[in-house]
Amino acid sequence: MTTAVVFVAVLLLLALFQVALALGAPWGRFAWGGQHPGTLPTGYRVASALSILVYGFIAVLALDRAGMLNVFPEGFSRVGSWVVFGYLALGVVMNAISRSKPERYAMTPVALVLAVLALLIALSPAAGRPFAGMVLDNGTGPVYCTAVMESYPPQCGRDSPAVLGWDWSAVEHEQSQSVRWGEYRFEGMRGRDTITLTKAPAPLL
């Protein structure tokens, strides 16, 4: 988690730098190969603005991988983390061979720090994410209800992910005929259509 926070903090500084370039700051010697030492031409300023969106996506991906956000399935965040590392490693090379000395000396260390942090994030195991709400089993297996139908016994929406590793004997629950349910808080790793339990559930009070 700390690695992801530091990583995002460095990305934020780079994003602010790109904002300044997009707004016309005369720091072109530190970016885009240093071809335009002062204020960047319009095309490069637009590119700087667009790079902020890239940094934003990378930041969300890193926080998701660290379990601080719940945006992407675990498989996507795992593969995406390695893609980000490759992208940032390439950035180290590009900055190191820049013809602009200010860019080489100032930006290469920053790119290297980001690449190392990205590698640590990619190597880290997936973090469990918090969930809170109804878990229901109508006889086909427990699911985490993303939507609860107004009925008795209750029913879950069709897109509710299956909860793997759930043990009804370990939790208090209600039951009507073959349907069992209850409201809980727990942690798990989110897949495309599943949640794999990583921490024992507790009643949602």
Side-chain angles (χ1 to χ4, degrees), residues 131-135 144 166 172 182-186 201-205:
F131 295 89
M134 180 177 289
V135 176
Y144 174 68
W166 190 269
E172 296 183 2
E183 293 191 341
Y184 311 93
R185 61 168 56 90
F186 59 94
L204 183 60
L205 302 178

Side-chain angles (χ1 to χ4, degrees), residues 4 18 39 49 70 82 94 130 191:
Q18 295 291 354
T39 299
N70 184 12
W82 283 106
M94 297 303 294

Side-chain angles (χ1 to χ4, degrees), residues 54-121:
V54 176
Y55 292 151
F57 173 78
I58 292 174
V60 170
L61 184 66
L63 294 175
D64 181 90
R65 183 66 181 169
M68 301 174 69
L69 294 178
N70 184 12
V71 180
F72 306 114
E74 193 276 331
F76 182 93
S77 67
R78 182 180 67 251
V79 174
S81 296
W82 283 106
V83 172
V84 167
F85 166 67
Y87 170 76
L88 294 174
L90 178 62
V92 175
V93 175
M94 297 303 294
N95 281 287
I97 64 175
S98 173
R99 294 182 179 180
S100 169
K101 287 185 178 181
E103 184 175 28
R104 284 203 309 272
Y105 297 150
M107 303 308 292
T108 301
V110 175
L112 182 59
V113 168
L114 280 174
V116 170
L117 292 173
L119 177 61
L120 294 176
I121 292 171

Side-chain angles (χ1 to χ4, degrees), residues 1-202:
M1 182 179 296
T2 301
T3 301
V5 171
V6 174
F7 180 75
V8 171
V10 178
L11 278 179
L12 177 59
L13 293 176
L14 276 181
L16 293 174
F17 171 68
Q18 295 291 354
V19 168
L21 289 177
L23 294 177
W27 300 337
R29 63 188 180 278
F30 294 103
W32 306 111
Q35 302 175 58
H36 305 279
T39 299
L40 295 174
T42 300
Y44 283 96
R45 292 168 67 178
V46 170
S48 287
L50 292 176
S51 69
I52 298 168
L53 299 178
V54 176
Y55 292 151
F57 173 78
I58 292 174
V60 170
L61 184 66
L63 294 175
D64 181 90
R65 183 66 181 169
M68 301 174 69
L69 294 178
N70 184 12
V71 180
F72 306 114
E74 193 276 331
F76 182 93
S77 67
R78 182 180 67 251
V79 174
S81 296
W82 283 106
V83 172
V84 167
F85 166 67
Y87 170 76
L88 294 174
L90 178 62
V92 175
V93 175
M94 297 303 294
N95 281 287
I97 64 175
S98 173
R99 294 182 179 180
S100 169
K101 287 185 178 181
E103 184 175 28
R104 284 203 309 272
Y105 297 150
M107 303 308 292
T108 301
V110 175
L112 182 59
V113 168
L114 280 174
V116 170
L117 292 173
L119 177 61
L120 294 176
I121 292 171
L123 290 171
S124 65
R129 302 171 187 178
F131 295 89
M134 180 177 289
V135 176
L136 181 145
D137 187 345
N138 63 5
T140 60
V143 298
Y144 174 68
C145 295
T146 54
V148 180
M149 309 297 184
E150 293 185 2
S151 63
Y152 188 87
Q155 302 177 62
C156 293
R158 291 186 177 182
D159 60 343
S160 298
V163 182
L164 306 181
W166 190 269
D167 181 6
W168 285 111
S169 66
V171 294
E172 296 183 2
H173 59 276
E174 297 185 62
Q175 183 167 356
S176 177
Q177 300 177 5
S178 62
V179 181
R180 293 182 285 187
W181 72 93
E183 293 191 341
Y184 311 93
R185 61 168 56 90
F186 59 94
E187 291 185 5
M189 292 189 296
R190 182 67 188 264
R192 177 172 296 180
D193 300 310
T194 62
I195 298 172
T196 301
L197 206 64
T198 58
K199 187 175 181 180

